[in-house]
Amino acid sequence: MKSYNSNCLFIAVLVSLCFYITGCSNRQDRIEVAVRNLIGKEFGADALKPDSTCDFTIIRYIDNPACTSCQLKLGQWRVFMKGLQKRSESITRLYFFVDTDNPKEVIKMLDMYGMANNCTIDSLSGLRKRLNIDAALGKDVVLLLDSTNCVLALGNPCEDPYIEGLYNNIISHTPGFIR
């Protein structure tokens, strides 16, 4: 009887492990497909007006932040953008789309950091729907766009040094980047 219980437990653990591994692999596949679908996609003028004075735009889409100040991390973004401006003559703008139930708090936070003009409150998830941003990418999606609002890369350069290097590398291939 004891051997039967041990075998059942072993089989249950093995089946659970298979489901876990398969689930992770499917999630990774969904993320890869979502990334491929976004790269090269163009923002319409209804989502973000093109700015002929900018070479690049960094879009940060945040879906209903639980802790607004924690998730926005505006101090990190200000440091990142200042560093980018020092290294490059290319003009890069930063723009936030925030889907929130508390727009006043978001605007207050952005205003404290001098970024209130760089935000759209997207309480209807309009940007996520218009661009078909897959939920597999999470609730905090950062995109690098060129001057025509075409997606060149995605990832958060404030949280991942590889993504920061990628953004710097893309921007460095435009005239005016200072190494």
Side-chain angles (χ1 to χ4, degrees):
M1 185 70 165
K2 193 173 189 179
S3 172
Y4 176 75
N5 287 340
S6 296
N7 288 341
C8 287
L9 180 63
F10 176 74
I11 291 172
V13 168
L14 189 61
V15 169
S16 297
L17 185 62
C18 288
F19 280 127
Y20 177 75
I21 291 171
T22 306
C24 288
S25 140
N26 287 339
R27 184 176 190 286
Q28 185 66 29
D29 291 344
R30 280 189 58 209
I31 291 171
E32 287 177 23
V33 169
V35 168
R36 274 192 239 114
N37 287 339
L38 272 177
I39 298 296
K41 190 173 243 183
E42 199 169 303
F43 269 64
D46 60 327
L48 182 69
K49 291 182 178 136
D51 185 345
S52 61
T53 64
C54 291
D55 300 309
F56 298 96
T57 301
I58 297 174
I59 297 286
R60 185 159 180 228
Y61 177 81
I62 304 168
D63 187 0
N64 208 7
C67 170
T68 304
S69 63
C70 306
Q71 197 161 349
L72 287 175
K73 299 179 182 174
L74 296 173
Q76 287 181 345
W77 279 99
R78 186 165 51 180
V79 168
F80 173 75
M81 291 304 290
K82 282 185 179 188
L84 199 57
Q85 290 167 355
K86 283 181 183 176
R87 291 187 306 272
S88 174
E89 292 176 13
S90 298
I91 299 171
T92 303
R93 69 178 168 161
L94 173 63
Y95 206 85
F96 293 90
F97 283 89
V98 183
D99 181 350
T100 182
D101 297 330
N102 194 351
K104 288 181 182 178
E105 184 181 7
V106 171
I107 290 172
K108 178 182 168 188
M109 294 297 304
L110 289 162
D111 196 35
M112 284 174 39
Y113 284 88
M115 298 180 183
N117 294 331
N118 302 23
C119 181
T120 295
I121 302 298
D122 190 26
S123 57
L124 301 175
S125 300
L127 181 69
R128 184 178 283 278
K129 291 173 187 169
R130 252 192 313 269
L131 287 178
N132 197 21
I133 297 174
D134 194 315
L137 295 175
K139 292 183 166 218
D140 189 352
V141 180
V142 182
L143 308 167
L144 176 64
L145 312 177
D146 66 9
S147 60
T148 65
N149 287 346
C150 183
V151 178
L152 300 175
L154 72 145
N156 191 332
C158 291
E159 293 183 356
D160 187 334
Y162 295 108
I163 299 297
E164 181 180 6
L166 173 66
Y167 279 36
N168 286 332
N169 189 30
I170 291 170
I171 293 170
S172 72
H173 284 89
T174 61
F177 191 81
I178 303 164
R179 291 186 190 263

